[in-house]
Amino acid sequence: MSPYPARAVIDLGAISDNVRALDDRSGAAQVMAVVKADAYGHGLVPSALAALAGGATWLGVAQITEALALRAAGVTAPVLTWLYAPGAPLAEVVTVGVDVSVAAGWAAHEVVAAARAAGVPARVHVKVDTGLGRGGVMPADLEELLEVLMAAQAEGLCVVVGVWSHLAWADAPAHPTVLQQAAVFDEACRTVERAGARLEVRHLANSAATLTDPAMHYDLVRPGISVFGLSPVPELGGPADFGLRPAMRLEADLALVKDVPAGHGISYGHDYVTPAATRVGLVPLGYADGIPRHASGTRERWGGPVQVGGRRLGVAGRVCMDQVVLDLGADAPERAGDTVVLFGDGTDGGPTAHDWADVVGTISYEIVTRVGARVPRTHVGAVAP
């Protein structure tokens, strides 16, 4: 048993089931499960294996270190990595057969040099900025980039196997930019093919487009947050509406329960003052563990929601670095050691990551990915291939 008085319980079976649901929606397109950022806080390797067991045929990660960790763990499925700076250890990536995204001339030259050093052709996906204004080569510069890559392909140093991009408004499928970006993407794919590439995959759809826009599926979809059971489009539907179930439950053991009188200030600054004699509980999780400080409670309203003994309560007073306080009520039966659930799948009426996101004005992605590294991940649930 971990000595840490809190844990993130990860249901691997839910991850597998979510991928199956996404695969059903993706038609003929393959599924790349995006497991970047330690699998959105769920644990990189266990989550990747669960996604593969659920039918994902690809894995996607932002950082090279994540791709190398997957290979070191024995994962042999296709992996794409895309976020690196000059001087990255690309030869290691090429040697272990990880596909690499290229979005700039300098990156093309470094990937080619890495392939030459490794003695293995690099598998390249060209990323095009179709309108997001973030990563990707601008369409006007694509042909110049392709000159470098296709010359290297002729030498046997690389193979251009994919073209990809990212949507700016995938969570609003009717937004005009979606079709505009698709048109730019289609032309980019034609340009790459005219240059001599024989594409294996074209991919544009993230979680939102995978769930809401079949026209964006192409050969491969790249769901991320939905793999872990959270809705990327809560205004269009919650997890259950898309056949998903949240995989993470964040819980903690009460570290202290005590009685305090009416008018007693709680936590720094006394933003919360007890309106009557009551019993308070100390939850050993704070902003160092990823609990948003914006989820602090005040005299006017409780903060971030929790479930205690089947009751919905909220943070009372300011969120501290390592702890928060709950006003349990005068007759509360809880004792030190009892479990508090901060968020889970919500099926028992408890709070969800989306509920926390609503309180602090963010998205559920941030709530789960910010759970601190010192919080143990406990993986449960059968994962069958």
Side-chain angles (χ1 to χ4, degrees):
M1 179 178 177
S2 170
Y4 205 78
R7 66 216 64 88
V9 182
I10 314 300
D11 185 345
L12 298 177
I15 293 174
S16 295
D17 289 345
N18 293 333
V19 172
R20 291 187 187 97
L22 291 161
D23 193 25
D24 287 344
R25 285 181 172 268
S26 62
Q30 298 181 69
V31 175
M32 174 190 288
V34 176
V35 291
K36 63 181 180 177
D38 196 33
Y40 290 65
H42 293 67
L44 175 64
V45 172
S47 297
L49 296 176
L52 292 171
T57 53
W58 287 72
L59 298 171
V61 291
Q63 302 289 342
I64 283 173
T65 51
E66 298 168 321
L68 294 175
L70 289 172
R71 285 290 186 256
V75 173
T76 59
V79 176
L80 173 66
T81 186
W82 56 79
L83 193 59
Y84 54 93
L90 292 171
E92 291 183 51
V93 175
V94 173
T95 298
V96 297
V98 170
D99 290 22
V100 184
S101 174
V102 168
W106 69 262
H109 287 294
E110 292 204 10
V111 168
V112 171
R116 184 175 281 111
V120 179
R123 287 174 50 89
V124 170
H125 297 230
V126 176
K127 186 170 188 184
V128 182
D129 185 348
T130 57
L132 178 59
R134 199 177 62 177
V137 61
M138 295 300 289
D141 300 322
L142 178 58
E143 291 189 3
E144 182 179 351
L145 177 63
L146 287 171
E147 288 178 10
V148 177
L149 291 174
M150 300 318 296
Q153 182 166 296
E155 289 186 57
L157 293 172
C158 80
V159 184
V160 177
V161 299
V163 179
W164 72 297
S165 189
H166 203 75
L167 294 165
W169 287 85
D171 52 347
H175 198 277
T177 60
V178 175
L179 289 180
Q180 291 167 8
Q181 284 193 251
V184 175
F185 182 70
D186 290 341
E187 180 56 32
C189 290
R190 288 190 289 267
T191 298
V192 174
E193 289 175 322
R194 283 195 300 266
R198 303 181 67 176
L199 298 177
E200 295 177 16
V201 287
R202 301 164 299 154
H203 44 111
L204 183 60
N206 56 4
S207 283
T210 299
L211 292 171
T212 66
D213 197 346
M216 299 296 113
H217 289 177
Y218 291 91
D219 307 305
L220 180 69
V221 295
R222 300 188 314 269
I225 195 66
S226 58
V227 168
F228 306 101
L230 299 176
S231 172
V233 284
E235 67 281 1
L236 300 180
D241 296 306
F242 297 111
L244 308 173
R245 54 192 177 103
M248 181 187 288
R249 184 176 76 252
L250 181 62
E251 61 183 34
D253 305 323
L254 284 171
L256 176 70
V257 175
K258 64 182 181 182
D259 294 326
V260 298
H264 199 289
I266 301 296
S267 195
Y268 294 122
H270 290 179
D271 290 339
Y272 182 85
V273 176
T274 57
T278 191
R279 187 164 290 164
V280 298
L282 191 68
V283 180
L285 285 173
Y287 58 75
D289 304 293
I291 306 304
R293 195 167 182 270
H294 279 31
S296 298
T298 67
R299 292 175 176 84
E300 291 73 33
R301 63 168 182 83
W302 277 338
V306 302
Q307 186 177 55
V308 185
R311 313 192 309 279
R312 283 282 289 264
L313 302 175
V315 172
R318 290 186 193 172
V319 174
C320 306
M321 183 179 291
D322 309 292
Q323 54 203 288
V324 298
V325 180
L326 306 177
D327 184 341
L328 299 171
D331 299 320
E334 282 74 35
R335 305 166 71 179
D338 286 354
T339 299
V340 174
V341 176
L342 285 86
F343 60 80
D345 64 15
T347 56
D348 60 354
T352 65
H354 182 69
D355 292 333
W356 275 81
D358 278 347
V359 168
V360 298
T362 187
I363 55 177
S364 60
Y365 304 54
E366 183 178 356
I367 299 301
V368 293
T369 58
R370 71 186 296 163
V371 174
R374 70 180 183 177
V375 178
R377 270 60 172 176
T378 301
H379 295 95
V380 301
V383 177

